[in-house]
Amino acid sequence: MRRINAHLHGQQKPPYVINLDPAVLNVPFDSNIDIRDSVNYEEVMKQYNLGPNGGILTSLNLFATKVDQIVNLLEKRTKPDPEKPDRKPIDHILVDTPGQIEVFVWSASGTILLESLASSFPTVIAYIIDTPRTASTSTFMSNMLYACSILYKTKLPMILVFNKTDVKDASFAKEWMTDFEAFQDALRRDEESDAMGGVEGGGTGGSGYMGSLINSMSLMLEEFYSHLSMVGVSSRLGTGIDEFFEAVEQKKQEFIEDYLPELQRRRAEREAAKHETRDKELDKMMQGMSVGGASGTAAVDDDDIDVVSDVDDDEDDETTREGLQARYQAAAGTNDDSLAADASFAKYLHTQR
């Protein structure tokens, strides 16, 4: 984060930086939006009697309630400001997520934050891999499975960023991803090394069941590799950063061409399902008020009780579902898509009884 932030500043293209890690003590970059300014991680742990991961998850849940404010702010900063014509719109938004993958990727708050950003901006996932620690076939495959799960959970374009290339070159990883036979040779070498060491598994490639499992997964992930971009960088030296941003631009176009139509389709399906549910609830409400039946009149047998139909038969049309909706919308002028509109509509119906 510090390196790509400094790189963009050096190009006179300062990004908008968001820190979503509530437990970090210090960050080596300036954040425009910092979750720590809104949520006190330690207090969350104390008040809810939580451990570290539970505290991070709950902090994210609390922060996710402000996602609409965040998106509105970002949309303003990505557009020209008539009041401040000298201020340039931002081109890049950097979001630093918590290091605990499961806390962010598999949580409701993480999904809300990602989908909210993706609904307004082209969004790309950068999965950072520690290159020296993934030199063995077993750890490499573990990282690929993590990446696979993140890709299919977020349904967003992804870049594999092999960091610390100043310590170990990442060319071996690219070879393993593009050449199945090369990975098989490395797997056999790791198995032989484990056998000679006399310790099964050995922490390198694994033998027996582990070797067979890795071999099977390497076959399965061949198609998965074809959808990923792989970049080797060094955060310490700054090498590979230009290639990283080139990959970001490619994935941006991929988002616009491939992911955005799918995102819009899913959004339309959710909207249709939401409207269908509201229509069913509205029908139930009308039936409960005895105005949603086929005749549209109040079903009351007691002649001593005055009902709407006794006052004026011409008002029957106004007591139908369409009539009530039209009268409500004309009087309140609210948006049907909002939860507030649902609550206000229900309140309005009860006042007409």
Side-chain angles (χ1 to χ4, degrees):
M1 279 292 292
R2 177 173 63 178
R3 174 57 65 179
I4 60 177
N5 184 34
H7 179 82
L8 291 173
H9 275 281
Q11 293 186 336
Q12 304 302 316
K13 297 179 180 179
Y16 204 84
V17 182
I18 302 175
N19 173 47
L20 293 182
D21 192 344
V24 65
L25 297 179
N26 298 292
V27 290
F29 50 83
D30 293 330
S31 301
N32 298 94
I33 297 177
D34 197 326
I35 188 175
R36 297 175 300 172
D37 296 334
S38 304
V39 183
N40 189 318
Y41 166 71
E42 294 182 351
E43 284 300 318
V44 168
M45 291 179 61
K46 291 179 182 178
Q47 293 185 18
Y48 294 95
N49 194 26
L50 299 170
N53 281 3
I56 294 174
L57 181 59
T58 304
S59 298
L60 280 172
N61 290 340
L62 295 172
F63 188 73
T65 60
K66 304 176 181 292
V67 67
D68 57 333
Q69 301 175 30
I70 296 171
V71 173
N72 289 336
L73 181 59
L74 294 176
E75 288 177 343
K76 291 179 180 178
R77 289 294 287 112
T78 54
K79 298 176 181 178
D81 189 350
E83 299 179 357
K84 299 178 180 178
D86 295 336
R87 188 171 68 177
K88 296 180 180 179
I90 57 175
D91 293 327
H92 295 88
I93 301 170
L94 306 181
V95 183
D96 188 17
T97 67
Q100 291 85 343
I101 295 175
E102 68 281 359
V103 168
F104 184 79
V105 175
W106 298 101
S107 67
S109 54
T111 301
I112 292 171
L113 290 167
L114 278 178
E115 290 189 351
S116 299
L117 291 172
S119 65
S120 300
F121 313 100
T123 306
V124 178
I125 302 294
Y127 179 55
I128 315 301
I129 299 172
D130 191 320
T131 306
R133 293 182 179 272
T134 194
S136 69
T137 53
S138 60
T139 53
F140 174 82
M141 188 55 62
S142 296
N143 272 304
M144 294 302 103
L145 289 176
Y146 260 126
C148 183
S149 65
I150 295 171
L151 177 67
Y152 289 106
K153 177 62 171 65
T154 61
K155 295 182 175 64
L156 292 171
M158 175 182 284
I159 302 172
L160 297 183
V161 183
F162 284 82
N163 193 18
K164 302 183 182 179
T165 54
D166 55 302
V167 179
K168 183 174 180 59
D169 186 68
S171 58
F172 74 93
K174 186 173 184 178
E175 184 182 22
W176 287 356
M177 292 174 63
T178 56
D179 189 343
F180 175 74
E181 294 297 331
F183 182 79
Q184 293 298 307
D185 291 340
L187 180 59
R188 281 192 292 269
R189 287 196 300 270
D190 285 346
E191 290 178 344
E192 291 173 0
S193 175
D194 289 340
M196 291 179 63
V199 179
E200 187 172 355
T204 56
S207 58
Y209 171 76
M210 182 59 69
S212 176
L213 178 62
I214 295 174
N215 183 53
S216 300
M217 289 189 295
S218 64
L219 286 170
M220 178 192 69
L221 293 178
E222 270 195 301
E223 179 65 21
F224 167 69
Y225 295 148
S226 63
H227 297 287
L228 296 179
S229 294
M230 178 267 184
V231 180
V233 304
S234 170
S235 296
R236 189 174 71 87
L237 301 179
T239 55
I241 300 300
D242 289 328
E243 289 79 2
F244 168 74
F245 280 104
E246 289 175 4
V248 170
E249 288 300 318
Q250 293 175 2
K251 290 299 179 180
K252 175 184 175 181
Q253 295 302 318
E254 183 179 322
F255 176 91
I256 295 172
E257 296 172 2
D258 301 331
Y259 286 79
L260 187 58
E262 175 66 14
L263 184 67
Q264 292 172 340
R265 185 189 65 80
R266 297 204 314 266
R267 186 186 305 158
E269 289 179 352
R270 287 197 299 268
E271 289 296 322
K274 182 175 70 173
H275 284 296
E276 183 180 354
T277 302
R278 288 186 58 208
D279 289 342
K280 291 180 180 179
E281 293 298 325
L282 190 57
D283 288 338
K284 291 181 181 178
M285 184 182 298
M286 293 301 178
Q287 292 173 5
M289 296 174 61
S290 300
V291 296
S295 62
T297 59
V300 180
D301 294 330
D302 195 339
D303 294 336
D304 295 334
I305 299 178
D306 293 333
V307 296
V308 175
S309 59
D310 293 334
V311 178
D312 189 355
D313 292 339
D314 293 336
E315 294 181 2
D316 287 348
D317 292 339
E318 292 183 359
T319 59
T320 63
R321 171 183 164 188
E322 292 79 6
L324 283 173
Q325 284 182 312
R327 289 164 58 194
Y328 167 72
Q329 292 174 357
T334 55
N335 185 353
D336 286 340
D337 292 335
S338 65
L339 294 176
D342 294 343
S344 301
F345 187 41
K347 182 178 180 181
Y348 173 80
L349 288 176
H350 286 293
T351 60
Q352 301 300 308
R353 296 181 64 177

